[in-house]
Amino acid sequence: MQNNTERNFNRRYAKEYGWQRSLFYWFFLRIVVDNFMRIFYDYKVYGRENVPKDNGKYIYAGNHVSIFDPPILPFATRKIIAFMAKEELFRPEEKLQWLVKRLGAFAVNRTKPEIATFKTVKDIFTTSWSLGVFPQGGTRPYGKLEGIKKGFAVIAKAAKADIVPVAIAEFSGYPKLKPFTRRKFRVYIGKPISHTLGEEEIIYEWSKFICDHADYENCTPIPESYKEKEPVNV
């Protein structure tokens, strides 16, 4: 009898992030991503000195302009990162689902967060892996930085994990299949944002870094706590 039960990838366990998956991840970055970037893109990475050297809990959070962003973040930071991904990417008919699953991503219901998501995050942080998120939720063009989901700040505070902002700037599109033609992009890595800040402060600090380095219009309001610290002109 055929088993029609499909696994729900919103729950993944620490044992799934062992040395074998880590080895596959590094192989993918070094052989596939590295060569792809060298052939098709003129890219530069700034701020690698801001990447934490310890194996503590960190969330790498970037803006989202293309389907290449999930490999770009670990490629730029040289960290193994498990990404939160929309549930649709795990469906059998999805072309990239095989790779998405094997690179350690886990499914997230973007309209109704589940307990399984927080349990998966907790398990990931018991391993050498980091967590990756795109607070915009889906790919968005440059312009106004808006529609930011606050879930990444909630997770940061619950897990006591600092956030490393990563700005993908000047992305000029998908590869051109022309000889000696390379597209351009730049990656900027910021200093970790402390999880001890308030949720609004975390979101503002992340937004400010992304806007300062990737030429967005910042639509995130200044937190009231920051306004209270501003000097009053008399």
Side-chain angles (χ1 to χ4, degrees), residues 166-212:
V166 182
I168 299 172
E170 302 180 52
F171 181 79
S172 56
Y174 294 106
K176 288 183 178 180
L177 300 179
K178 293 182 180 180
F180 311 107
T181 301
R182 300 168 75 204
R183 295 267 192 189
K184 177 182 178 181
F185 76 84
R186 302 290 183 259
V187 179
Y188 297 88
I189 305 168
K191 295 180 179 179
I193 300 168
S194 175
H195 68 273
T196 60
L197 296 176
E199 289 178 14
E200 291 184 355
E201 294 171 341
I202 289 174
I203 294 170
Y204 176 77
E205 291 293 340
W206 178 82
S207 301
K208 186 176 186 305
F209 180 86
I210 299 300
C211 291
D212 287 348

Side-chain angles (χ1 to χ4, degrees), residues 152-163:
F152 78 111
V154 175
I155 290 174
K157 293 193 69 65
K160 297 182 179 179
D162 291 346
I163 294 172

